[in-house]
């Protein structure tokens, strides 16, 4: 078994809660030793009852000892449970943060790749549960192994062949369970897109974004049927796998019960003939039963580690993806004043597409003008904005700012200096103030005057006057107390966010699609006011 991913998974758990990691090992060691102590005390307890010379005081002492061992086990179990809860919650936060950070760091080109979405889906499915499951499985396996060593010591003093019989009886079950883990992993991996489809259908049926069209066109029945059909196909195959392997697992039980019967008869015969005391009979019988259970624990643990190792590859396959658009080693400083943007013989196509969106494309925009780009749908207008922001890199040619290829800038710095409003802008269900200040959230110059100026230029000040808490009103209807806006009002909020950035380059991608005539006139006046300080590009459809 390749343990690389197991070690990495354990490191994730340790990193999120080092103290809990160590405490878990301590609790497991104590819990694994208590059964052996309990068996030894049980032998003495039974012998004190059956011995002719036994006293009540001796019997009482062993009863108290037996109860003490049981109580210690309960207390350690409680402490271990609390520790597990803390570790689980911390790990969920830790892994979720890593997944979210990785998804943000990767280039937009990944989002155009179905294989990326498969990898992301598998990582999400395993992220919050698999590492802690791995750790618990490992600790359980170690605990079972330590307890088993004690059991072996007890049984070795009775008859060594009992140990061999116990091992042989469990081998078939180990083979069946290992095969089940491998088969289910392969099935789930090969059906990732079907699992993603069920998530997509569920989103269509339950998400507010799609609610209007789902009802208008009566699509709920169609997508509900697709969800049910796809889920049924997946579940049917999983159940067939489970039933087939359960049949073999049930057959393994005959081997184990045969071994149990054989050992019981051997111990009973020895006790009747006086070879063993009643205490030895009880201890050895319980030792074999518990030993078989601990051996199953080791088998299940090894199988679980193997399964976890398979599924952990899903997490690390995603975390190992590397962004292709990165900052150069020695990035050029961004110009203090932007005078000109040029697209020089730019050629670009989206990943896995058969045709170029832009081919040998040339374009220039200068500060002091409102440079207009007009074209039909699909002519690459929005693509130009994405390329300018380096959300994608060109396949040929270059984009230059003041004559400097934008690939020489740090992408984060570049994007900070390009204020953009997309035609598919985001409606953040946050306060109006936050929606505006997201345009430059981490600026050291966040002032009320700056926010109010962006609101004035975009016409959002008029919207704020009609909201119950003004700029502190929660927008959207997802959360309690939220106020919904019209599409035109949301577009003005997105415009205010762009203007709040005060970036030297401002690109407007179809900014008036939802605006009325009066609001469009205000925007035209705003652009005239801004063009002396900013390089402005206005994208329109024809």
């Amino acid at each position: 078994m390749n343990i690389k991913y197991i070690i990495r998974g354990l490191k994730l758990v340790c990193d999120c809660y080092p103290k809990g990691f160590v405490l878990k090992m301590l609790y497991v060691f104590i819990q694994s030793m208590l059964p052996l102590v309990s068996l030894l005390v049980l032998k003495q307890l039974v012998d004190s009852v059956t011995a002719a010379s036994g006293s009540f005081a001796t019997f009482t002492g062993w009863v108290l000892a037996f109860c003490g061992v049981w109580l210690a086990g309960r207390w350690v179990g409680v402490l271990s449970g609390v520790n597990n809860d803390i570790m689980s919650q911390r790990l969920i936060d830790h892994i979720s943060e890593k997944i979210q950070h990785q998804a943000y760091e990767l280039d937009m080109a990944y989002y155009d790749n179905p294989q990326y979405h498969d990898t992301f889906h598998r990582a999400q499915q395993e992220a919050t549960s698999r590492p802690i499951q791995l750790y618990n499985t490992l600790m359980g396996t170690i605990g079972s192994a330590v307890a088993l060593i004690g059991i072996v010591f007890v049984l070795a003093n009775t008859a060594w062949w009992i140990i061999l019989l116990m091992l042989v009886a469990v081998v078939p079950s180990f083979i069946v369970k290992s095969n089940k883990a491998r088969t289910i992993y392969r099935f789930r991996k090969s059906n990732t897109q079907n699992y993603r489809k069920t998530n997509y259908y569920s989103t269509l049926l339950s998400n507010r974004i799609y609610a209007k069209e789902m009802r208008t066109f009566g699509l709920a029945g169609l997508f509900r049927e697709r969800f049910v059909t796809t889920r049924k196909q997946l579940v049917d195959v999983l159940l067939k796998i489970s039933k087939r392997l359960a049949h073999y697992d049930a057959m393994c039980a005959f081997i184990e019960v045969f071994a149990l019967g054989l050992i019981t008869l051997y111990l009973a015969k020895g006790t009747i003939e006086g070879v063993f005391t009643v205490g030895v009979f009880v201890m050895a019988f319980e030792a074999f039963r518990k030993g078989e259970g601990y051996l199953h624990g080791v088998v299940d643990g090894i199988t679980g580690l193997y399964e976890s190792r398979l599924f952990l590859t899903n997490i690390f396959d995603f975390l190992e993806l590397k962004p292709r658009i990165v900052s150069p080693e020695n990035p050029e400083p961004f110009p203090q004043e932007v005078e000109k943007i040029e697209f020089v013989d730019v050629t670009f196509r989206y990943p896995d597409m058969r045709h170029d969106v832009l081919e040998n494309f040339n374009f220039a925009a200068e500060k002091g003008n409102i440079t207009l780009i007009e074209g039909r749908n699909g002519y690459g207008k929005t693509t130009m904005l994405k390329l300018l922001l380096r959300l994608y890199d060109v396949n040929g040619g270059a984009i230059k700012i003041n004559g400097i290829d934008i690939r020489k800038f740090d992408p984060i710095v570049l994007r900070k200096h390009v204020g953009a409003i997309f035609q598919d802008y985001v409606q953040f269900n946050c306060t109006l103030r936050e929606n505006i200040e997201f345009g430059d959230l981490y600026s050291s110059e966040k002032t009320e005057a700056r926010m109010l100026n962006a609101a004035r230029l975009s016409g959002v000040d008029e919207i704020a006057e009609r909201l119950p808490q003004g700029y502190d009103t929660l927008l959207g209807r997802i959360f309690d107390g939220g106020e919904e806006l019209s599409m035109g009002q949301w577009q003005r909020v997105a415009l205010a966010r762009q203007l709040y950035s005060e970036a030297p380059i401002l690109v407007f991608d179809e900014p008036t699609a939802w605006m009325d005539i009066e609001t469009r006139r205000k925007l035209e006046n705003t652009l005239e006011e801004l063009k002396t300080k900013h390089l402005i590009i206005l994208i329109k459809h024809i």
Side-chain angles (χ1 to χ4, degrees):
M1 184 192 299
N2 187 336
I3 64 170
K4 178 180 72 172
Y5 288 117
I6 292 178
I7 293 172
R8 292 180 66 183
L10 292 174
K11 187 177 183 301
L12 283 175
V13 180
C14 185
D15 288 345
C16 78
Y17 189 32
K19 178 183 175 182
F21 190 91
V22 174
L23 282 175
K24 176 72 174 180
M25 290 190 288
L26 176 63
Y27 294 144
V28 166
F29 178 76
I30 294 173
Q31 288 175 315
S32 65
M33 294 304 296
L34 286 176
L36 176 60
V37 176
S38 178
L39 280 175
L40 295 174
V41 172
L42 180 62
K43 174 188 177 298
Q44 296 297 329
L45 177 62
V46 173
D47 282 343
S48 70
V49 174
T50 58
S53 59
S55 67
F56 183 74
T58 303
F59 170 74
T60 303
W62 286 116
V63 169
L64 292 174
F66 189 80
C67 291
V69 172
W70 182 88
L71 186 61
R74 281 284 284 118
W75 283 350
V76 173
V78 170
L79 292 173
S80 180
V82 172
N83 189 62
N84 281 347
D85 290 343
I86 296 172
M87 288 185 69
S88 296
Q89 295 306 314
R90 292 196 179 187
L91 184 65
I92 288 172
D93 294 341
H94 182 64
I95 299 293
S96 296
E97 188 276 331
K98 291 181 77 69
I99 295 288
Q100 292 162 5
H101 178 76
Q102 175 73 343
Y104 171 76
E105 288 293 315
L106 293 175
D107 310 325
M108 289 290 294
Y110 279 103
Y111 289 78
D112 298 320
N113 187 329
Q115 283 69 46
Y116 163 80
H117 292 286
D118 287 350
T119 305
F120 180 60
H121 172 83
R122 289 194 292 265
Q124 277 189 313
Q125 293 296 104
E126 309 300 333
T128 57
S129 61
R130 190 61 62 174
I132 195 67
Q133 183 179 330
L134 165 70
Y135 182 60
N136 287 334
T137 300
L138 178 63
M139 291 297 103
T141 306
I142 292 173
S144 295
V146 171
L148 187 60
I149 292 171
I151 295 297
V152 167
F153 173 76
V154 171
L155 292 176
N157 289 326
T158 307
W160 64 267
W161 62 268
I162 296 177
I163 301 167
L164 181 61
L165 182 62
M166 184 171 64
L167 291 170
V168 171
V170 176
V171 169
S173 179
F174 172 70
I175 295 172
V176 170
K177 290 176 179 177
S178 298
N179 185 47
K180 181 178 181 180
R182 183 170 55 253
T183 304
I184 289 178
Y185 170 75
R186 288 174 178 171
F187 171 78
R188 287 180 58 181
K189 184 173 184 179
S190 64
N191 282 275
T192 299
Q193 290 214 3
N194 285 328
Y195 280 107
R196 287 205 294 115
K197 283 180 181 178
T198 61
N199 289 350
Y200 175 64
Y201 299 148
S202 179
T203 301
L204 290 177
L205 291 164
S206 59
N207 195 295
R208 186 176 185 272
I209 295 174
Y210 309 105
K212 294 190 294 294
E213 293 204 29
M214 293 295 288
R215 285 157 176 75
T216 300
F217 299 108
L219 300 176
L222 169 68
F223 287 109
R224 192 181 301 112
E225 182 181 354
R226 289 185 179 181
F227 174 85
V228 171
T229 301
T230 307
R231 279 293 302 170
K232 187 176 185 303
Q233 291 171 348
L234 293 170
V235 171
D236 284 349
V237 176
L238 281 174
L239 288 179
K240 286 180 182 178
I241 294 171
S242 182
K243 288 176 181 178
R244 184 179 74 250
L245 295 173
H247 173 74
Y248 294 126
D249 207 10
M251 298 301 293
C252 295
F254 285 106
I255 301 173
E256 294 170 29
V257 77
F258 174 77
L260 177 62
L262 189 62
I263 296 304
T264 305
L265 290 173
Y266 170 75
L267 292 173
K269 184 174 181 296
T271 304
I272 292 170
E273 293 175 352
V275 177
F276 306 127
T277 66
V278 175
V280 171
F281 172 84
V282 173
M283 180 183 69
F285 177 79
E286 280 296 303
F288 180 81
R289 250 183 9 97
K290 288 181 178 294
E292 202 171 35
Y294 291 130
L295 192 54
H296 267 294
V298 172
V299 168
D300 290 344
I302 294 173
T303 305
L305 291 173
Y306 174 68
E307 179 184 345
S308 293
R309 198 271 303 175
L310 292 173
F311 283 101
L312 279 169
T313 60
N314 296 332
I315 298 176
F316 293 115
D317 282 350
F318 177 74
L319 293 178
E320 287 168 358
L321 294 175
K322 301 295 182 184
R324 302 183 187 96
I325 298 177
V326 295
S327 177
E329 285 190 21
N330 299 299
E332 291 275 351
F334 199 86
Q336 291 186 347
E337 295 287 336
V338 176
E339 301 295 338
K340 188 175 184 179
I341 293 175
E342 300 171 276
F343 282 63
V344 182
D345 293 327
V346 168
T347 298
F348 174 76
R349 71 171 58 184
Y350 287 101
D352 299 323
M353 284 188 65
R354 298 180 181 178
H355 64 277
D356 295 330
V357 179
L358 297 173
E359 185 176 2
N360 298 324
F361 176 75
N362 291 278
F363 166 79
E366 295 183 359
K367 181 180 176 181
N369 301 316
I370 299 174
T371 304
L372 182 64
I373 301 175
E374 289 185 309
R376 296 178 180 177
N377 290 330
Y379 271 53
K381 303 181 300 301
T382 299
T383 298
M384 290 176 58
L385 173 54
K386 295 175 182 177
L387 293 174
L388 179 59
L389 287 162
R390 275 202 82 194
L391 300 178
Y392 298 85
D393 267 338
V394 299
N395 301 122
I399 301 172
K400 299 181 179 181
I401 295 177
N402 287 6
I404 304 171
D405 192 319
I406 63 171
R407 287 171 288 197
K408 294 182 178 180
F409 300 128
D410 183 329
I412 296 175
V413 175
L414 168 67
R415 291 163 191 162
K416 183 178 176 60
H417 287 83
V418 180
I421 178 173
F422 293 91
Q423 55 182 311
D424 54 347
Y425 54 85
V426 176
Q427 301 174 10
F428 292 103
N429 282 252
C430 303
T431 65
L432 176 57
R433 181 186 303 277
E434 288 173 322
N435 264 275
I436 298 172
E437 292 180 347
F438 285 162
D440 193 10
L441 186 62
Y442 301 106
S443 171
S444 58
E445 300 177 0
K446 263 176 59 173
T447 63
E448 184 78 4
R450 180 180 176 185
M451 189 274 293
L452 293 175
N453 185 55
R456 176 186 64 82
L457 291 171
S458 61
V460 166
D461 52 348
E462 299 174 1
I463 299 173
E465 290 175 0
R466 295 194 292 270
L467 293 174
Q469 285 84 42
Y471 291 99
D472 295 314
T473 302
L474 183 68
L475 302 185
R477 294 294 300 158
I478 293 179
F479 306 111
D480 289 342
E483 293 285 329
E484 189 56 273
L485 303 181
S486 69
M487 294 300 294
Q489 290 174 319
W490 272 116
Q491 192 165 37
R492 278 192 269 174
V493 172
L495 178 61
R497 180 161 59 245
Q498 176 198 25
L499 297 176
Y500 181 83
S501 71
E502 296 186 345
I505 302 169
L506 297 176
V507 185
F508 302 83
D509 187 2
E510 198 61 34
T512 61
W514 298 96
M515 293 182 181
D516 55 42
I517 295 176
E518 183 180 349
T519 307
R520 289 180 185 180
R521 287 175 183 157
K522 288 183 179 179
L523 176 60
E524 291 170 0
N525 294 334
T526 295
L527 294 180
E528 288 295 327
E529 182 179 336
L530 294 172
K531 72 179 184 180
T532 56
K533 295 182 179 179
H534 303 267
L535 189 152
I536 295 176
I537 299 174
L538 179 60
I539 298 173
K540 284 188 175 183
H541 295 154
I542 57 172

